[in-house]
Amino acid sequence: MSTWMRTLSSVPGLPDARVICLPYAGGTASAYRSWASVMPPDTELRAVELPGHGLRLAEEPVRRSADVIRPLADELAREHRLLPVPRTVLFGHSMGALLAYELCRALCERGAPPSVLVVSGLCPADRLDRKANGLLAERRNLLLDHIRQLGQTPPEVLDSPTMRELVLRPAQADFELLSHAPAPAPTPLPVPVLALAGRHDFVQPSYLVGDWRRHTERWLGMRVLYGDHFFPWQSEDVGYLLNELARTAPVPVAMTR
C-alpha cells in the first residue's frame, strides 16, 4: 500500500483514467474527497498525503520538494510499468501546482508521462516571492495572520492552541519548501498544460498564473473561475473540468507504442 497516496474513489479492475491531486500548503489529501462524486465511473481519484499532514501527521514534514518528488515519481513509474493506465491527469493547487509540475517532469524522465498537467492558483517557481515565503516559514505570527486572511481554516481551529499547532507545523514546512523551490527546467514540458486562476485571488492573480505558458510545448490556455485563492472549492467547475479531461485527454505517445 502506498504511503504517499490515498485513493478517494476506486473502480473495479484497471481504470481507464486516473486523476492525481497534489495539496496546497498545509493541505491534506482529504481536501479532494468531494470530487469523487463527479469522476467518471471508470476513473480513479487519488490525492497525495505529505509527511506531517493528515493521516501522516505524526511524521516529520519535508522541507524540500525533491524529498517528495523522487519517491513519489519512483512509485508511480513502477506502477506504470506493472499496470499502465491509459490516461493520467495531474492536478495541483497552490503549492500543489509546483509539486505537480515537478512530478510531471520526473515522470516524463522515467518514461511514464501524464496525459495532461493542470496547474491551479500558483505562478511558476521562477516568479515566486521566495523571501515572502521564507518569512512565513520563519515567523509564526506572520503565518497565522496569513492563514486567517485566506479564510480557509475555521477561526475556532486557529483560536485553540492545540489545534493551531496542528495547522502551523505542516504549514511552516510547506512555506519553507516554497522558499527553496527550484526554478523550472529550461526545456519546456512535452505534456499539455492547462492553468486555472481565481477571479478574486489576491494571493496569485491570473496574470501570474498565466506565466505557465512559457513552460510547455502544448499550452491549453488559462481559465479564470469564480472565487478567491481557494476557488476550486467554491464552485463545481474544477471537479467537472477534471472529469472532462479524464475522458478526453489524449493518451501519451509513450503509451501507444
Side-chain angles (χ1 to χ4, degrees):
M1 179 178 293
S2 172
T3 58
W4 285 98
M5 282 184 293
R6 293 175 59 189
T7 300
L8 304 179
S9 70
S10 58
V11 299
L14 190 65
D16 287 342
R18 179 174 290 140
V19 176
I20 298 176
C21 301
L22 290 104
Y24 54 86
T28 67
S30 62
Y32 296 106
R33 182 176 297 281
S34 62
W35 293 353
S37 62
V38 299
M39 288 295 108
D42 56 1
T43 297
E44 181 180 71
L45 176 65
R46 292 182 175 184
V48 172
E49 191 83 281
L50 297 179
H53 299 62
L55 295 180
R56 304 179 69 183
L57 193 62
E59 299 178 42
E60 182 65 25
V62 298
R63 291 172 168 80
R64 298 293 185 272
S65 60
D67 293 331
V68 175
I69 300 305
R70 286 194 203 101
L72 184 55
D74 287 345
E75 179 180 306
L76 288 171
R78 183 167 54 250
E79 186 177 278
H80 172 82
R81 290 191 295 271
L82 295 173
L83 295 169
V85 172
R87 295 181 182 87
T88 295
V89 178
L90 289 184
F91 172 87
H93 179 67
S94 198
M95 180 187 72
L98 168 75
L99 296 176
Y101 164 80
E102 293 187 25
L103 178 60
C104 181
R105 184 165 291 283
L107 289 174
C108 289
E109 292 170 353
R110 288 162 173 76
S115 298
V116 62
L117 168 64
V118 183
V119 287
S120 169
L122 192 78
C123 61
D126 55 354
R127 298 206 65 182
L128 280 175
D129 187 336
R130 286 178 170 78
K131 182 177 180 180
N133 284 303
L135 285 173
L136 290 174
E138 293 170 6
R139 301 184 184 179
R140 284 194 158 203
N141 60 323
L142 296 180
L143 179 57
L144 183 59
D145 289 344
H146 181 69
I147 292 172
R148 288 189 189 278
Q149 190 175 18
L150 289 175
Q152 184 74 357
T153 306
E156 56 270 24
V157 171
L158 298 178
D159 291 339
S160 163
T162 301
M163 297 299 292
R164 184 168 62 237
E165 177 63 24
L166 296 178
V167 172
L168 292 179
R169 177 174 175 264
Q172 280 186 282
D174 291 346
F175 279 102
E176 184 175 338
L177 184 153
L178 287 169
S179 72
H180 291 90
T187 306
L189 284 172
V191 173
V193 174
L194 173 68
L196 307 178
R199 186 172 296 119
H200 306 294
D201 187 353
F202 67 89
V203 178
Q204 288 285 316
S206 58
Y207 74 87
L208 288 176
V209 179
D211 209 37
W212 283 105
R213 66 172 59 86
R214 297 186 293 112
H215 301 292
T216 177
E217 297 173 357
R218 303 170 65 186
W219 177 240
L220 300 181
M222 183 175 69
R223 301 192 190 185
V224 180
L225 304 175
Y226 169 80
D228 55 29
H229 187 61
F230 287 99
F231 66 91
W233 292 271
Q234 294 166 354
S235 77
E236 297 179 335
D237 291 343
V238 178
Y240 285 110
L241 173 61
L242 295 176
N243 172 306
E244 178 186 351
L245 291 172
R247 291 183 291 105
T248 64
V251 177
V253 173
M255 294 285 291
T256 61
R257 292 175 180 168

